[in-house]
Amino acid sequence: MDSLAIGLILLSAVFHAIWNFLAKMSRDKYVFSWWMKLFELILYLPLSLYLFSTGEIKTGGWTIVLLSGIVHFVYWMLLSSSYTYGDLSLVYPIARSAPLFVALFAVLFFNEQLSTVGTIGIVTVMGGVYLLTIWGMRFRSWSIFRSKGVLFAFLTAFAVTAYSLIDKQGAQFFPPILYVWLENAISLIPLTTIILNSKRDEILPEWHYNKWIVIVSGFLGLLSYSLIILVMQTFQVSYIVSIRQVSVVFGVILGGTLLREGYLKTRLLASIMIFIGLFLITTS
């Protein structure tokens, strides 16, 4: 994997951590997600229309982007639930713990080959992710695994695994920004139905209090994942998803310093494992 690809993934990770931090600051996590996705469509509409008019999309691509949109809808609901019930620095590392699952399924279904060093790197990254969560709690109580926030975070990780494998295929059919824009448009349909039926009274207050972080998050959210789709067109999905998990370090720093969630020093120490794992992955 070349330095440009690694740079794009790391930039995506920074953007991802920032918009997740902003999402945690929102009043109603579900309504914020709806506003954010709506602005993703608005902000990137002109560019998406241009890309659509200048490219030819194969039939198989539409099936994949439809499936991706459905899975992303599930992901957004689970992520919103995670932030409703848990701290950013607790649930974010768990929600981003997909690489081991991605690597397993990529080998089984896409015939990807993982070197020994690369495999050790992935395992090391994931060890750091879980230490950020468990060691940061100082092994205080295993009851954290029975909390709603942690439960939804693990379910979010499985959703990330699913859409990562789907999007590896979809990346071959569309320009990256157009692909992400389309799957967002699809996922917004059921999300809008739910928000209008159950959260109608929260729509305007959320916009009133958080309109600027909605706009910023919408810009960063689509751009962040478009960078990943771009790299997916060339490189192995298992390595890409693993390297992107450096975002958990940024998430822990933001949660510990700006949201004052605690356990910052121990979680930062555990994050050293993530950097070691990244080094092993990128040099394998």
Side-chain angles (χ1 to χ4, degrees), residues 16 19 32-45 48 62 64-77 79 163 167 174-193 214-215 217-227 229 244:
H16 192 274
W19 76 250
F32 179 86
S33 295
W34 177 81
W35 273 118
M36 176 181 169
K37 294 182 73 61
L38 180 63
F39 265 86
E40 286 182 357
L41 297 187
I42 295 173
L43 294 173
Y44 289 91
L45 176 62
S48 297
W62 293 108
I64 294 175
V65 79
L66 175 61
L67 181 59
S68 177
I70 295 172
V71 175
H72 270 86
F73 160 69
V74 175
Y75 160 76
W76 280 97
M77 294 300 295
L79 183 65
Y163 76 61
D167 293 344
F174 297 87
I177 286 180
L178 177 59
Y179 179 79
V180 179
W181 191 91
L182 287 171
E183 59 90 353
N184 277 348
I186 293 167
S187 64
L188 188 61
I189 296 172
L191 183 59
T192 299
T193 302
V214 163
I215 295 172
S217 298
F219 175 77
L220 293 180
L222 191 142
L223 179 59
S224 172
Y225 198 52
S226 295
L227 294 175
I229 297 299
R244 199 189 188 203

Side-chain angles (χ1 to χ4, degrees), residues 28-141:
D28 187 294
K29 307 315 186 251
Y30 303 95
V31 176
F32 179 86
S33 295
W34 177 81
W35 273 118
M36 176 181 169
K37 294 182 73 61
L38 180 63
F39 265 86
E40 286 182 357
L41 297 187
I42 295 173
L43 294 173
Y44 289 91
L45 176 62
L47 180 56
S48 297
L49 290 177
Y50 171 77
L51 292 173
F52 184 80
S53 65
T54 57
E56 181 178 351
I57 312 300
K58 298 180 181 179
T59 303
W62 293 108
T63 302
I64 294 175
V65 79
L66 175 61
L67 181 59
S68 177
I70 295 172
V71 175
H72 270 86
F73 160 69
V74 175
Y75 160 76
W76 280 97
M77 294 300 295
L78 292 172
L79 183 65
S80 298
S81 298
S82 299
Y83 289 150
T84 298
Y85 296 108
D87 288 345
L88 174 69
S89 56
L90 174 62
V91 303
Y92 186 63
I94 299 174
R96 303 311 303 172
S97 63
L100 284 184
F101 306 115
V102 172
L104 175 62
F105 286 107
V107 171
L108 292 176
F109 297 107
F110 298 153
N111 294 319
E112 291 193 358
Q113 301 296 319
L114 298 178
S115 68
T116 301
V117 174
T119 301
I120 294 173
I122 290 174
V123 173
T124 304
V125 168
M126 296 316 305
V129 167
Y130 283 106
L131 281 179
L132 279 171
T133 302
I134 306 306
W135 190 16
M137 296 295 290
R138 297 180 182 175
F139 294 96
R140 184 175 61 187
S141 173

Side-chain angles (χ1 to χ4, degrees), residues 5-15 228 243-244 246 250 278:
I6 294 172
L8 292 176
I9 297 171
L10 294 179
L11 182 61
S12 171
V14 173
F15 291 162
I228 294 301
I243 295 173
R244 199 189 188 203
V246 72
F250 305 132
L278 294 177

